[in-house]
Structure formats: C-alpha cells, structure tokens
Amino acid sequence: MKHAIIAAIGAGLIGLAQFIAPAAAYAHGQSDDTHRAEAGWSIAIHGGAGTLDPDRMTPERRAAYEASLQAALDAGARVLADGGSAMDAVQAAIVPLEDDPLFNAGRGSVFTWEGTNELDASIMDGRDRSAGAVTGVTTVRNPIQLADRVRTDSPHVFLMGQGAEQFAREQGFAVTPPEWFATEARRESLDRMRANALSSLDVDHKFGTVGAVALDTHGNVAAGTSTGGMTGKRWGRIGDAPVIGAGTYADNQSCAVSATGWGEYFIRVGVAQEICTRLRIQTTFREEPCPDDAIGGSYCVSVQLPDAEVAQDTADAVMDEVAQLGGDGGVILVTPAGHAIFSFNTTGMYRGRATSEGVNEVAIFSGEAR
Ligand code: GLY
C-alpha cells in the first residue's frame, strides 16, 4: 500500500520525504498533499475475545454477531473511504457496537456486584497523542463520545464517576435512563455468579469489550475502546479499557491499538503502548541525497516501516507476555503502513477489518481471517 510519502519496496515499506527543512515534518506524522490521492486507509474492529466454541453457537447467533460486526466495520470504512479522519471512523464503528446488546459496552453492558451498569471508554488521536477517557459512567448512552469530549473540551485526560457525569451534562449529553443499558442476559449472569459464588470468567466466557483502530488517507491513526467491564466488578474496579497505554493507544509514528481481555493483566503489561513502542523502535530512518533534487541542498529521509509480519510478531509477543502472567484476551492494531492486524490468545475474538486495498472480512473463531 502506498501511503502519504511512503512507497512499498521489497518486504518493508520505504518512504522518501524531500525536505528543505529538517525532517521534523515526517517525524511529526505530517503527510504530503501531493501524495494524498494515492494514500490508502485501513480499519480494524473487535467486539471482545474469549472462550468461544463454534459447536456451541447456533447459526442464527453467529449470523447476528457477523451482521453487527459488518455494520460497524462498514460504518467506519465509509468515513475513511470518503476521506474522513481516523478519529471519526473509530467513533463511527464503536457507536453501533455500544448500542448493540450483543456486546459488553453501552447497551448490554455487564452488571456490577451491586446490580448497576458502569461504563468505561477511552480514545486517542495519533496525530498529537491527545486522549480522553471516562470510567464508571452510568447515564451516557455512548461513552466513546464522552471520552472524545473529554479530549477536546476539558483540560484533562481521564474523568471518573460523578465528575464525568457532571461534565457530560455541562457538555449537553442527554441523560440516558439505566434501563437502556440493562439486559436480561447480563442480569442472569450476575444472578448466577452471586448464587453460585462463581467468578466473572465462569459466567462471561468472553470479554465483550468493543474497540476500533483506523488509519486515514491523511496518514493519521486513532484508537478507541469501550466496555462495561467484568460481571460482578466491585469496589470501584477499573479495567484496562479506559486506561491509556493499557487498553488504548495511538501514535502516528508507531501504531494504533485497542485491546479486549482480562483488564488487570493488560494494565500490568501496558499492552497497547508496549506494542506501539516496540514497533516504533523497529522503524528505521536514513538520510540520503534526493534522487530528483534539481535545486541542490535538499535531502531525503527514507523510512523503513515494520512490515506486516513484524507487526504481527510484535503483537503476538506482547500477547504471549499477557498469557505468561496468566491473562487472556486480544488486540487489534493498524500501522502507518496500513497493516490491519489481529492477535489473541483465546479461542475466539469477534473481529473485522477492511482496507482501501479491498480487504473486507469479519470473523469470530481462531483460525479464521488471520
Ligand atoms: N477488558 C475490559 C476489562 O477488563 O474491564
């Protein structure tokens, strides 16, 4: 895929950026208008990972999940195909997943031990690494939009509980009644957990967190994640989804990641930022004379971005660390070169990806679309 000032050569991707000034423009992720027409986009989404068995899922239920994933993927892809921003695409994909009771985010969120739904979300813009996050929200229909408003209209990154609610009201977010979020299936999970002294893993079987990552045609990446957390959470427990660096991270110089899984382990490993940091370290820059330098005195910077295999191996290695500690789950990522990658150490992850190169797929179980 050609992207901005980046052209594919051999196994990796090489970019030649011609600058009179130092190479800071590239280093800050600016793209070159003259190349924008041939720039590509990509997007990946997830709806949670966990113990998923194809033999225990009816064809009707599978079709329902696939239809929901496809609708969310299409919503995000449309934004990108129209030249919209990665930030808008991420939200366009996450909002329908938050509204869909099949997933543990927004409507259909799991219950706390006390029988409430408390929602977490975060979002990050790879252009400038601005970020917004909320936790313990109870009356905002689409927490991902509130997280973005924290990013754009507050001096802060992370708001919790009552304060986040107050900020939402001041920003004009409508009060959504608790009944909107509550579903019978999630209530039964809590009841079983309480009656049988089960763990949330026994009753959930999967982490239904939702998320999206995107690369737009302007060369910018973004990531967002939204969740109800884990069934029976108590004492104000917060998972990885709203924690920047754990569940969500985006930086134009490395990648964008959204995670789903056993949040405590993802926080301990710092999964999202760890993957991006390793990819940034594996990116190499080289100064050389420009091949078409008519004026003289300018120079070019060639950029060797990690290829798809390196990106996959990097994500897999970080997920292996999660597994070694005893955690499970998965991640989605996109790179500035346009690779859309899945990595998970569970038997399934609800997921999808699409690119300007014609990739368009949704999948649920291990071994599919990888
Ligand atoms: N990964 C979602 C959570 O642990 O809350």
Side-chain angles (χ1 to χ4, degrees), residues 120 207 209 227-230 237-241 259-264:
D120 303 335
F207 309 97
T209 299
T227 191
M230 294 175 84
R237 180 264 183 192
I238 303 168
D240 61 311
T260 171
W262 197 339
E264 280 69 11

Side-chain angles (χ1 to χ4, degrees), residues 19-53:
F19 300 110
I20 305 300
Y26 182 78
H28 287 282
Q30 307 284 315
S31 57
D32 176 344
D33 277 341
T34 60
H35 291 77
R36 210 166 269 167
E38 44 187 44
W41 55 263
S42 56
I43 183 168
I45 63 167
H46 69 75
T51 311
L52 304 173
D53 180 352

Side-chain angles (χ1 to χ4, degrees), residues 204-352:
D204 285 344
H205 303 297
K206 68 177 174 66
F207 309 97
T209 299
V210 307
V213 291
L215 165 74
D216 64 30
T217 55
H218 312 283
N220 301 311
V221 298
T225 311
S226 183
T227 191
M230 294 175 84
T231 298
K233 64 183 182 181
R234 62 203 303 196
W235 307 305
R237 180 264 183 192
I238 303 168
D240 61 311
V243 177
I244 296 298
T248 301
Y249 197 76
D251 177 3
N252 277 4
Q253 294 187 67
S254 53
C255 69
V257 175
S258 171
T260 171
W262 197 339
E264 280 69 11
Y265 293 92
F266 282 69
I267 292 173
R268 287 166 61 191
V269 174
V271 166
Q273 186 171 9
E274 180 69 16
I275 292 171
C276 288
T277 300
R278 290 187 192 187
L279 287 176
R280 181 162 53 77
I281 289 167
Q282 293 176 88
T283 302
T284 57
F285 299 84
R286 208 173 48 240
E287 280 183 27
E288 53 195 41
C290 294
D292 56 350
D293 180 10
I295 322 161
S298 62
Y299 62 91
C300 286
V301 178
S302 72
V303 183
Q304 179 88 40
L305 295 169
D307 63 20
E309 199 179 335
V310 170
Q312 182 74 61
D313 289 349
T314 301
D316 290 349
V318 175
M319 286 308 301
D320 281 350
E321 286 190 20
V322 172
Q324 279 160 22
L325 294 180
D328 57 1
V331 291
I332 52 172
L333 59 141
V334 294
T335 70
H339 307 302
I341 308 276
F342 309 124
S343 176
F344 51 99
N345 58 22
T346 49
T347 54
M349 179 165 79
Y350 296 97
R351 61 199 187 277

Side-chain angles (χ1 to χ4, degrees), residues 51-59 61-62 192 202 205 365:
T51 311
L52 304 173
D53 180 352
D55 296 333
R56 295 182 60 184
M57 185 177 277
T58 64
R61 196 157 172 81
R62 182 179 180 137
R192 273 194 299 126
D202 292 326
H205 303 297
F365 302 105

